[in-house]
Amino acid sequence: MTRFLLGRLAMLVTTLAVASVTIYGAMFLTSGDPATLLVGGGKPPAPAVVAAIHKQYHLDDPFFSRYWRWLTGALHGDFGMSLAYRADVSTLISTRIGDTLLLVGYSAVLIIVIGIVVGTVSALRGGLVDAVATGVSAAAMAVPTFVVGAVLAFVFGVKLGWFDASGDGGGGFGALIPSFTLPAIALALSWVGYVAQVTRAAVGAELRSEHVVTAEARGLPRPGLIRRHVMRNAAGPIFAISGVAVAGLIATTSVVEQTFGISGIGSLLIEASAKQDLATVQAVSLLMVAAFIVLNTVIDLVTAMLDPRIATGRTL
């Protein structure tokens, strides 16, 4: 287990290092002077402006010298200045990250609760319940997130008026929850299907396992058998897919935030990309990639603790 832990931590550090170099170096793969991207806008900047940008961002220094200065600043919370927004990038992120965290957290609760309940009931009940649950789960996985978001906003927000389709309720936490319901459902729906399917398969496999069948034949009470043996042994794959689902929310939050007009860091990334605000794009991309990598590493470690055979490589 110690070797597995050290290996995952080493992989975490290596992946983060490679990701940071890729994110920072992407702007130097474009043709022309990177200073023009930092300025943004349609018109070429004046030579004096270009010279000032070169000096401010040390663009005439060697690449790894510039990268190290940017990375050490980022580790201290200093992502530089946004020339498009005329504000500190860290301030832009701090004012928007709360909405993204609320949206991702709300969606994560929906994924874990609904996905596990549907998958477990489907495996335990079988028959028509299983067929319906499987069909609905497959349909949920097949529909793109942006389509789900548009349909939910139009039907339940515009036509029926049950929810705030703007995703900006205001008035504190109590008002934010109803206004974030449609965005959270749109973000979570496809992952609910994945979690339900994996849960169904894991619980079904445990129900058919030899020790469970034998215990049931001996007359052990079914509720206790399911709780202590079936669900406990199935917890590994269920936790793994649930964790992957929560990490995957980071990649799709931009789409939902744009659809519902949520001022999170996902929408900030899209807006900054459109304005060629490279400092903001780099900062938000680094945060999203780092969050995704760290979450996946935590998932691997917890899954290995739930099933130590994974750490020894004896089973998947």
Side-chain angles (χ1 to χ4, degrees):
M1 180 63 74
T2 302
R3 183 181 299 177
F4 178 83
L5 173 62
L6 294 176
R8 283 295 184 270
L9 291 178
M11 185 181 299
L12 169 66
V13 174
T14 302
T15 307
L16 286 174
V18 172
S20 65
V21 172
T22 303
I23 290 170
Y24 180 77
M27 78 176 195
F28 299 99
L29 298 177
T30 60
S31 59
D33 193 337
T36 60
L37 289 178
L38 289 169
V39 173
K43 297 189 299 182
V49 175
V50 173
I53 295 298
H54 272 256
K55 183 178 180 180
Q56 179 182 352
Y57 288 90
H58 306 276
L59 294 179
D60 295 324
D61 294 349
F63 172 79
F64 279 103
S65 176
R66 299 193 303 268
Y67 161 74
W68 183 250
R69 184 179 291 106
W70 171 78
L71 180 62
T72 53
L75 292 176
H76 289 87
D78 180 13
F79 294 100
M81 288 292 295
S82 166
L83 298 179
Y85 292 93
R86 300 293 190 270
D88 187 78
V89 175
S90 299
T91 302
L92 288 173
I93 293 174
S94 64
T95 57
R96 294 204 183 204
I97 197 170
D99 284 350
T100 298
L101 292 177
L102 177 58
L103 175 60
V104 171
Y106 195 170
S107 301
V109 172
L110 295 178
I111 289 171
I112 294 171
V113 173
I114 298 176
I116 293 177
V117 169
V118 170
T120 302
V121 172
S122 176
L124 294 178
R125 297 292 296 275
L128 180 60
V129 172
D130 184 27
V132 172
T134 301
V136 172
S137 299
M141 290 187 292
V143 182
T145 300
F146 71 90
V147 174
V148 175
V151 171
L152 289 177
F154 178 74
V155 175
F156 295 100
V158 177
K159 285 295 185 181
L160 298 177
W162 292 357
F163 297 95
D164 182 4
S166 68
D168 184 16
F173 184 79
L176 281 175
I177 292 298
S179 66
F180 271 62
T181 297
L182 291 182
I185 293 174
L187 186 60
L189 188 61
S190 62
W191 284 110
V192 168
Y194 279 106
V195 172
Q197 293 281 26
V198 172
T199 301
R200 171 183 174 273
V203 173
E206 291 301 324
L207 286 172
R208 295 187 297 271
S209 63
E210 183 177 351
H211 69 282
V212 172
V213 173
T214 301
E216 196 168 18
R218 291 178 176 176
L220 291 181
R222 185 173 174 82
L225 180 64
I226 292 172
R227 184 176 62 255
R228 287 193 294 268
H229 296 280
V230 175
M231 297 306 299
R232 179 177 296 178
N233 292 335
I238 293 174
F239 175 83
I241 189 59
S242 299
V244 170
V246 174
L249 296 176
I250 300 172
T252 51
T253 183
S254 299
V255 177
V256 174
E257 288 180 8
Q258 280 291 98
T259 301
F260 290 91
I262 297 174
S263 297
I265 61 171
S267 60
L268 176 63
L269 177 62
I270 295 177
E271 294 166 8
S273 300
K275 296 178 180 179
Q276 294 186 325
D277 184 8
L278 209 55
T280 303
V281 171
Q282 287 176 330
V284 176
S285 299
L286 181 64
L287 287 176
M288 286 186 163
V289 171
F292 182 84
I293 294 171
V294 170
L295 276 174
N296 275 287
T297 302
V298 172
I299 292 163
D300 288 343
L301 296 178
V302 175
T303 303
M305 286 189 287
L306 290 173
D307 188 354
R309 295 173 297 176
I310 295 176
T312 61
R314 289 199 297 265
T315 182
L316 295 176

